[in-house]
Amino acid sequence: MLQTIATINIILPFLYFVAFYAYAYDFYSEKKYLSNSKQIVLIVTLIIHTFYLISRTVEYNHPPITNKFEIFSIIAFSIGFSYFVLELLTNIRGTGAFIIFFSLIFQITSSIFIEHSYIVPEVLRNRLLGLHVINALLGYSGITISAVYGLLFMLLYNNLKTNKFGLIFNRLPNLEILEKLSFYSAVIGFVLLTFAIVIGIIWLPSAFPNFSYYDPKLIGTLFVWLIYGVGVSSKIFNNWFGKKVILFSLIGFVVAIMSLIITNTLAKTFHSFY
Amino acid sequence: MNLVGISINHKTSALELREALHLNRNEIVELIPLLKESFFSEGVVISTCNRTEIFGFPHNYSLDISPIIDSLLRSKLIDSIKPENFSKFYSCGAVKHLFSVASGIDSMIVGDSQILGQVKEAFEISEDLGFTGTVLRRIFDSTMRVGKRSIKETNIGDGAVTVSYAAVQVVEKIFANIEKKSALVIGAGETGELAAVHLHDKGIGKIAISNRTTERAEKLAVKVHGEIVPFQSLQERLNNFDIIISATSAESLIISFDDIKESMKKRKDAPVVLMDIAVPRDIDPEVGKLENVFYHDMDSLKIIVDQNLQKRRDQIPLVKKIIMEEMVGFFAWYNALDVVPTIKLLRSFFEGIRHDELDKIKNKVSAEDFNKIEEMTRRMIGRLLHNPTVKLREFAESGANINDVTTNTLILKELFNLGEAPQNGNTFNGNEISSEDKIEKE
């Protein structure tokens, strides 16, 4: 089993690269050679990745959430999987390269640095924690996808405003669709982050009796949650369109990434497990 | 092959000359009997606003086609067109030109999507008037195949190549569901009408027309099932529309920056597309600086048109490859038609010898013996010619390698001194057989 896990660990970045290359080639080239096969490559990659995550759980007797690089692999998977579901639901196939690129980066980092450990801190074996992590990771995948579509929206918006009718104009879906994809991903991300926060707050007093509500992790997460909350409600209640909504998504994503980096490296927080 | 083609098109003459020579359906119907009587045994007349083409098999083998041109000019009572305004095509060149026309690569707007339908219609007129034969039918089968393959296998017809269609393409890059959007077309002239029709064809949810002259607006509104917005109250109504296309002949701006700013306030910044396809411009270009206002004028739309035209031109080599493939296929079939007359010649040559020999012994043997000898020689000739006949016929039916077919028929003619077999074509010197005869199997 260990040998299989090690082999798949090496293969996965290559598979994501092939999927990324297939989507990128299809985007840049107007020929339609890879329009169907790229989806098959992604499905195969996701199936093998699922098998890899299950194998790790069985072999090490804990879900693969006990170190940063196991989490990275799950993020790679959840971004790829969320994109795949979005592609199935909308049948918009032109934007995969921009999303799968993130899966590729996370999986490469994970595969290089991942540790194979049977020993994990007791606090990480809690069931509520498992739920908390799954919701948080899927939530972060949602806001990542939202930010990518937001960026694509801005690109096309600026191209249209400045009369540039090149690759971006020819190959991207229209502005309304990009805005919708970005908004729906943000809503899903926001809802899942809300669940993750609620579960975390329920679990927190029992796991860390001495925690502080001024902990940088809690403040950072709340800040991210508020940005998405305001953005989502503005769209729903004020019928906002375009750049204003997209800016919330992009700023929210940047703040979320900054918050993750700061709480995992610079600040002292209860949330440092690794 | 003695197919002849005469063409007047955008490469050979100015628009007014092409327009002057344009033949409508009735005029083509009147011209065909004239052509049939004086020049062609079969043929076709294609006429669009950009070209008039006549293809046919002449009654007499002659490279002088000026009588046909004179006759055409007389039928339209035109004297300003000169013979230099016509291109002439012969044999393979005529077939290739017809294929090029049908594929759209010879059109003024490369990849024109209407030409194939117009070629088909022209052929149907000839068919209805009994002006077609087997070879012409086969040429047109191949022509239609060239046109269809060009559309299916290449991108020769892709992308907007007119300003009004480019405007619609930009609209589709902004809005997802055009059928839920409303559009206002200002100006009911030719350009405005084209834009309104494009939007209507794309299934726009609601369309309104505004024009200084109400009658013209009403006429266009009826055509596109739209409503009328009075020209005087235009500014107050702007906020009701997601797409505004302006194509008037006004000398100054009719929509100002403040008009759009005010409209955007009322729309709560919902996006709006402004297409200014008028020269001089109708809309203040400064409006493009407003958030969610997508302003495009003739210059920016021309960029799209030029890009798409270039993309279409890049596809021409692929279309030419299809034309060559279809030409090879057609001429393989056509040249194989020579085989059947050769078989006929060969059989009659052998039959001739048999009858000569039978005549020699007719009075030397009894009637009963003569019948036996006649029967025996008939069977013998049949068996001797069975294999060559079957082999040559196989070539004819399968349209096989043209070199094999030609070599075999030539050898056969040489060996048995079969004389000059009839050439392909219909009536070069009055002795030839018709194309129907050529493909007759026995």
Side-chain angles (χ1 to χ4, degrees), chain A residues 20 23-24 38 83 87 92-101 149:
Chain A
F20 166 73
Y23 275 91
K38 62 185 184 177
Y83 170 75
E87 188 176 287
I92 296 163
R93 299 179 175 198
T95 55
F98 302 94
I99 313 281
I100 294 165
F101 173 75
Y149 281 123

Side-chain angles (χ1 to χ4, degrees), chain A residues 30 156-157 160-161 163 165-166 168-177 180 239 241-244, chain B residues 169-170 172-177 181 269 271 288-294 296 300 303-304 307 311:
Chain A
E30 293 193 1
L156 182 59
Y157 183 92
L160 282 164
K161 279 283 203 180
N163 296 329
F165 304 109
I168 297 289
F169 175 80
N170 285 324
R171 304 293 285 156
L172 282 184
N174 60 56
L175 279 182
E176 269 190 355
I177 283 180
K180 242 179 219 170
N239 211 13
F241 172 86
K243 267 171 90 174
K244 279 192 217 167
Chain B
Q169 195 187 338
V170 174
E172 286 180 317
K173 261 304 165 208
I174 294 163
F175 297 125
N177 298 312
K181 303 296 173 192
D269 276 340
K289 291 179 180 167
L290 292 167
E291 200 69 31
N292 290 336
V293 173
F294 299 95
H296 295 277
S300 59
I303 297 172
I304 299 177
Q307 280 179 355
K311 278 186 196 165

Side-chain angles (χ1 to χ4, degrees), chain B residues 25-219:
Chain B
R25 190 187 170 92
N26 291 337
E27 287 170 323
I28 293 173
V29 169
E30 282 170 20
L31 179 66
I32 283 178
L34 188 74
L35 292 171
K36 202 172 175 181
E37 188 190 324
S38 310
F39 306 108
F40 296 134
S41 57
E42 47 189 283
V44 67
V45 180
I46 302 162
S47 190
T48 73
C49 48
N50 266 322
R51 62 172 67 245
T52 295
E53 314 254 348
I54 300 176
F55 294 90
F57 289 104
H59 291 308
N60 299 305
Y61 182 68
S62 166
L63 292 177
D64 182 17
I65 52 174
S66 48
I68 305 167
I69 293 173
D70 292 342
S71 166
L72 179 64
L73 298 180
R74 272 201 306 277
S75 78
K76 291 290 285 183
L77 302 171
I78 304 165
D79 50 13
S80 55
I81 300 180
K82 297 182 171 51
E84 302 88 82
N85 294 123
F86 289 88
S87 292
K88 294 112 191 167
F89 303 94
Y90 302 94
S91 191
C92 295
V95 175
K96 191 179 176 188
H97 176 67
L98 178 58
F99 285 2
S100 301
V101 169
S103 68
I105 62 170
D106 200 60
S107 299
M108 194 156 86
I109 296 171
V110 175
D112 174 22
S113 57
Q114 292 178 336
I115 188 69
L116 187 61
Q118 289 162 334
V119 170
K120 189 181 176 197
E121 198 185 337
F123 178 71
E124 282 167 356
I125 294 173
S126 284
E127 186 97 301
D128 290 346
L129 296 175
F131 197 34
T132 58
T134 308
V135 179
L136 196 68
R137 261 183 235 121
R138 184 77 179 211
I139 290 174
F140 269 82
D141 284 347
S142 302
T143 307
M144 297 315 290
R145 208 161 37 245
V146 166
K148 286 174 187 167
R149 284 186 63 194
S150 300
I151 295 165
K152 201 177 165 192
E153 296 173 24
T154 75
N155 297 325
I156 194 76
D158 286 3
V161 286
T162 61
V163 166
S164 37
Y165 197 59
V168 176
Q169 195 187 338
V170 174
V171 166
E172 286 180 317
K173 261 304 165 208
I174 294 163
F175 297 125
N177 298 312
I178 201 168
E179 57 278 8
K180 288 181 184 169
K181 303 296 173 192
S182 54
L184 169 66
V185 176
I186 309 167
E190 197 183 335
T191 317
E193 182 176 341
L194 209 57
V197 170
H198 275 319
L199 284 169
H200 179 255
D201 291 348
K202 285 279 176 186
I204 186 84
K206 197 176 98 180
I207 191 162
I209 312 293
S210 184
N211 195 57
R212 225 179 273 273
T213 324
T214 318
E215 293 76 43
R216 288 192 79 169
E218 280 169 352
K219 205 175 154 194

Side-chain angles (χ1 to χ4, degrees), chain B residues 365-373:
Chain B
V365 295
S366 66
E368 194 184 341
D369 287 344
F370 181 77
N371 285 341
K372 281 180 184 169
I373 293 167

